Amino acid sequence: MLKIENLKKSFTQGDRNIEVLKGLNLNLDPGVTAAVLGTSGSGKSTLLSLLAGIDIPDSGTMNFQGTDLAKLSEQERTKLRGEKIGIIFQQFHLIPHLSALENVCLPLEILASGDDPIVKGKKILEDVGLAHRLDHFPGQLSGGEKQRVAIARAMVMEPELLLADEPSGSLDEETGENVMKLIFSMVEQRGTSLILVTHDERLAKTCDRIHRLQNGALSLAL
Ligand SMILES: Nc1ncnc2c1ncn2[C@@H]1O[C@H](COP(=O)(O)OP(=O)(O)O)[C@@H](O)[C@H]1O
Ligand SMILES: [Mg+2]
């Protein structure tokens, strides 16, 4: 479903050019959970931002279900991301002035999928255990609850690929573990492919495959 070949990305900082991804390859089959394990600064978030279409690579291909993500226009990338790729960040990235339900309904409204956003949004917030928090704003929710809202928002479009960037990274251990259990159970139930970016070896082991991001390239550890 996803085949990344020879992906390169560098940034300029002042007069320095930093090569972050130096010809990265990755193959992901449908329904597979894959961990990308790497130390801080190794380029994990850079990789996810390219996959999510938030940033564009210098060169290389990212073939997702027959479409090269690197060749799409900004508008096409936004549409494809909205329909087929869900994203969860370490810092939740919820919209502060929207309620939990409004945050979750937003992708459905933007893409006008035909489903009733409120019905679908309520259902998925129930699935993540937040039926009693529909009208709360992010500022009124705990870290774990905020991440559950973000999970619901990422999964409400029933994406084929879920990208998660250290989703338990800013939560305490127990809350983080519960959030990860929820992510795994949701992707398993729906057959969603998962790329989980983490620096946590133990967490990486809960995925079907472990890839190590080192010196700008990925190697398969399992
Ligand atoms: N927008 C940017 N501009 C300049 N440098 C960046 C940018 N984004 C990331 N980098 C650099 O790329 C490297 C990898 O960053 P990142 O992908 O965030 O690593 P990780 O998520 O593995 O901690 C770091 O050295 C970082 O400073
Ligand atoms: Mg990062």
Side-chain angles (χ1 to χ4, degrees):
M1 80 163 329
L2 176 68
K3 190 177 174 73
I4 302 178
E5 285 182 304
N6 209 14
L7 193 68
K8 295 186 183 174
K9 179 72 183 175
S10 51
F11 295 105
T12 35
Q13 280 182 8
D15 53 3
R16 272 199 330 143
N17 188 50
I18 306 171
E19 281 185 80
V20 180
L21 306 181
K22 306 177 190 174
L24 178 148
N25 300 300
L26 175 73
N27 252 315
L28 186 70
D29 290 327
V32 168
T33 59
V36 169
L37 192 56
T39 53
S40 172
S42 59
K44 304 183 296 298
S45 295
T46 300
L47 171 61
L48 282 202
S49 70
L50 298 180
L51 279 173
I54 296 166
D55 202 352
I56 48 172
D58 300 333
S59 61
T61 57
M62 297 180 284
N63 199 307
F64 176 69
Q65 300 182 331
T67 305
D68 184 359
L69 299 178
K71 290 204 173 65
L72 298 178
S73 69
E74 185 165 1
Q75 206 178 0
E76 291 167 326
R77 289 204 309 270
T78 306
K79 183 163 187 288
L80 187 118
R81 177 172 68 228
E83 289 174 351
K84 299 198 167 168
I85 302 178
I87 316 166
I88 305 169
F89 303 92
Q90 179 176 346
Q91 297 298 339
F92 325 125
H93 290 235
L94 298 175
I95 300 179
H97 61 271
L98 297 183
S99 70
L101 182 59
E102 287 165 344
N103 265 283
V104 171
C105 288
L106 198 58
L108 294 164
E109 277 156 8
I110 290 172
L111 285 157
S113 65
D115 299 309
D116 183 342
I118 304 288
V119 172
K120 255 197 136 173
K122 277 186 180 165
K123 167 77 178 66
I124 198 141
L125 278 165
E126 266 167 40
D127 292 347
V128 301
L130 289 179
H132 57 306
R133 292 281 183 273
L134 303 180
D135 299 324
H136 284 57
F137 292 94
Q140 302 169 318
L141 298 170
S142 71
E145 288 172 336
K146 280 194 270 245
Q147 197 58 303
R148 282 169 188 271
V149 175
I151 293 168
R153 179 185 56 183
M155 296 301 289
V156 75
M157 291 297 298
E158 294 164 31
E160 278 152 75
L161 175 63
L162 179 65
L163 306 172
D165 193 349
E166 315 235 17
S168 55
S170 59
L171 304 172
D172 65 67
E173 200 175 319
E174 193 186 337
T175 309
E177 271 179 26
N178 288 333
V179 157
M180 283 316 307
K181 275 188 201 150
L182 176 65
I183 291 175
F184 279 111
S185 91
M186 292 192 85
V187 299
E188 194 178 315
Q189 269 171 28
R190 292 162 172 78
T192 317
S193 304
L194 170 70
I195 297 181
L196 169 68
V197 154
T198 181
H199 61 268
D200 182 342
E201 297 258 352
R202 206 166 57 96
L203 185 56
K205 289 202 175 92
T206 55
C207 290
D208 299 328
R209 285 190 174 62
I210 303 179
H211 302 81
R212 277 180 204 283
L213 179 51
Q214 219 168 11
N215 303 320
L218 280 178
S219 56
L220 197 58
L222 211 91

